[in-house]
Amino acid sequence: MTFTLRKKDILIDILVRLPAKSLVRFLCTCKSWIDLIGSSSFISTHLHRNATKHTHVYLLCLHHPNFERNDDPDDPYVEQEFQWSLFSNETFEECSKLSHPSGSTKHYVIYGSSNGLVCISEEILNFDSPIHIWNPSVKKFRTPPMSTNINIKFSHVALQFGFHPGVNDYKAVRMMRTNKNALAVEVYSLKTDSWKMIEAIPPWLKCTWQHHKGTFFNGVAYHIIEKGPICSIMSFDSGSDEFEEFIAPDAICSPSELCIDIYKERVCLLFSFYSCDEEGMVPNDLWVLQEKRWKQLCPFIYPAGSYGTIGITIDNKLLMVRRDFLRGAGDLCLCNYESKQVFETGIELAVMKYGEIELLFAITY
């Protein structure tokens, strides 16, 4: 089967609107379709359309199987069961359950999502924790080689993943710190399937600091770090290997209550720690990084209670959770920052506990 230029343009216009799962099925049609769908220009067009129009978007959430749990969440002798699933971003119905791509039955955590790829690894990371770059839609994955750069134990390991448009490559950034404050940073390239150790660590990172949460945007990994009384945002460009520090606004006094994510193509901070003048309501302050300065936007006011913000969706809605402490779960809500509308999703997230730390997971896929 061959195409005239006109027919080919029409075909491309149709195919770029389809999800990756459908495109994979069409690879069995004929050689012309295989060449077209597999071409770098088509892949780039398909990714750009999905990213700009937010088509084929899902919520990727960690929950308990069957949305029920009959065990005691605080009982250390009861192993908790967790399930990652894809939910519709419009109807919030469960679309598919995701099992570990290697067939492992161990719990896993998602450390980043970009253009249909997710980066998964163990709950508690170390330098030798296996990492998988996975496309759940087409059920394919790659396992990066083990790094040969380091072989010591670390007290804390952070992992970030995403796409760097400047170098047209997917990157995983791994930051590791020992109890003696030695710091190591490694970058994995999907294009070369190899790790690189970053040699030049800035002096302001060679000190005692505590890592909190992070995000990845346009090839740059951002981390909240706490250095004594100072709360900062550390950035690392995975293409140029450059570090940068942005001191957080003075109003942020508790990093544990701080969330970092992307809002309207800008790095943003969400902070909720104090009450407001309106009785029964709590403000959620929002700052965006604009020309290397923090600009404060109007706070998002919501009812006081067990709410917490855990992130922002690709279409700029706040991911908020109303905790149920007795059941060890949380009800996921989507909040429109501008209209102040709150959407109940009916999705009940599971709570992962690490000692005193409790985590809930919901991201855009």
Side-chain angles (χ1 to χ4, degrees):
M1 182 185 295
T2 58
F3 306 108
T4 65
L5 182 61
R6 174 65 176 163
K7 288 182 179 179
K8 184 176 180 180
D9 290 341
I10 294 173
L11 181 63
I12 290 174
D13 189 55
I14 294 171
L15 293 180
V16 293
R17 301 170 187 271
L18 301 177
K21 200 169 186 178
S22 299
L23 292 176
V24 170
R25 291 202 296 267
F26 290 147
L27 291 175
C28 304
T29 307
C30 63
K31 186 178 184 303
S32 298
W33 283 41
I34 294 173
D35 293 340
L36 175 62
I37 295 172
S39 67
S40 59
S41 61
F42 178 83
I43 293 172
S44 177
T45 302
H46 186 264
L47 289 176
H48 178 72
R49 186 182 190 281
N50 287 343
T52 54
K53 295 184 179 293
H54 302 150
T55 54
H56 314 306
V57 172
Y58 297 91
L59 291 172
L60 185 49
C61 303
L62 183 69
H63 61 93
H64 294 296
N66 303 318
F67 298 95
E68 297 178 357
R69 55 173 303 152
N70 300 315
D71 54 34
D72 181 353
D74 295 320
D75 188 343
Y77 300 103
V78 175
E79 184 176 355
Q80 299 182 47
E81 294 186 14
F82 298 104
Q83 172 70 57
W84 284 98
S85 294
L86 289 174
F87 294 84
S88 167
N89 193 46
E90 297 175 353
T91 65
F92 309 123
E93 293 180 357
E94 186 178 20
C95 300
S96 61
K97 290 181 169 63
L98 302 182
S99 301
H100 197 291
S102 69
S104 171
T105 57
K106 292 183 178 180
H107 298 160
Y108 64 93
V109 171
I110 295 175
Y111 290 93
S113 171
S114 181
N115 298 331
L117 298 182
V118 295
C119 176
I120 67 172
S121 191
E122 297 172 342
E123 295 174 71
I124 301 175
L125 294 169
N126 206 344
F127 75 93
D128 57 354
S129 296
I131 296 172
H132 306 286
I133 311 299
W134 177 30
N135 188 328
S137 296
V138 298
K139 296 180 171 57
K140 292 185 177 181
F141 72 98
R142 175 185 289 184
T143 303
M146 286 291 181
S147 170
T148 58
N149 296 321
I150 44 181
N151 59 359
I152 62 174
K153 290 288 183 180
F154 290 87
S155 61
H156 182 85
V157 178
L159 179 63
Q160 305 268 263
F161 169 80
F163 181 68
H164 197 309
V167 296
N168 193 31
D169 193 8
Y170 290 88
K171 302 275 191 172
V173 177
R174 185 161 54 187
M175 287 184 58
M176 298 155 284
R177 181 171 58 85
T178 68
N179 288 325
K180 295 182 179 180
N181 301 318
L183 178 69
V185 178
E186 281 190 308
V187 179
Y188 169 76
S189 163
L190 187 64
K191 187 182 292 185
T192 63
D193 192 29
S194 62
W195 289 94
K196 178 179 71 172
M197 177 67 78
I198 305 303
E199 302 293 342
I201 305 295
W204 52 266
L205 267 178
K206 296 178 181 178
C207 61
T208 302
W209 58 270
Q210 183 178 354
H211 168 267
H212 292 276
K213 302 159 189 170
T215 191
F216 196 100
F217 179 62
N218 277 348
V220 180
Y222 295 88
H223 293 270
I224 300 171
I225 61 174
E226 186 180 4
K227 301 188 297 182
I230 299 174
C231 180
S232 293
I233 308 303
M234 181 220 73
S235 73
F236 171 75
D237 190 317
S238 61
S240 64
D241 300 343
E242 294 179 351
F243 292 87
E244 200 164 357
E245 183 180 21
F246 305 97
I247 305 297
D250 293 338
I252 295 176
C253 55
S254 175
S256 61
E257 304 296 329
L258 185 61
C259 176
I260 183 170
D261 215 310
I262 307 302
Y263 180 72
K264 293 189 174 182
E265 302 290 303
R266 296 185 186 278
V267 176
C268 77
L269 299 177
L270 289 154
F271 181 66
S272 179
F273 186 70
Y274 54 90
S275 59
C276 63
D277 296 335
E278 191 174 348
E279 187 176 354
M281 305 297 286
V282 175
N284 199 335
D285 289 338
L286 192 151
W287 286 268
V288 293
L289 190 61
Q290 188 170 309
E291 297 178 351
K292 299 190 176 184
R293 293 178 178 273
W294 296 108
K295 177 183 178 182
Q296 186 171 9
L297 304 183
C298 293
F300 180 85
I301 309 295
Y302 59 92
S306 302
Y307 279 96
T309 306
I310 61 173
I312 299 177
T313 67
I314 195 172
D315 51 354
N316 301 307
K317 293 186 178 69
L318 305 186
L319 288 161
M320 299 190 71
V321 176
R322 186 174 57 247
R323 286 292 310 275
D324 185 334
F325 292 96
L326 293 177
R327 301 185 65 246
D331 297 320
L332 179 65
C333 304
L334 295 186
C335 305
N336 187 308
Y337 173 76
E338 294 178 343
S339 69
K340 313 304 180 187
Q341 285 182 296
V342 177
F343 305 90
E344 299 282 349
T345 68
I347 301 171
E348 189 174 271
L349 302 181
V351 178
M352 240 184 207
K353 301 183 74 171
Y354 304 97
E356 298 296 318
I357 301 174
E358 296 186 344
L359 299 174
L360 299 97
F361 295 93
I363 61 175
T364 303
Y365 172 75

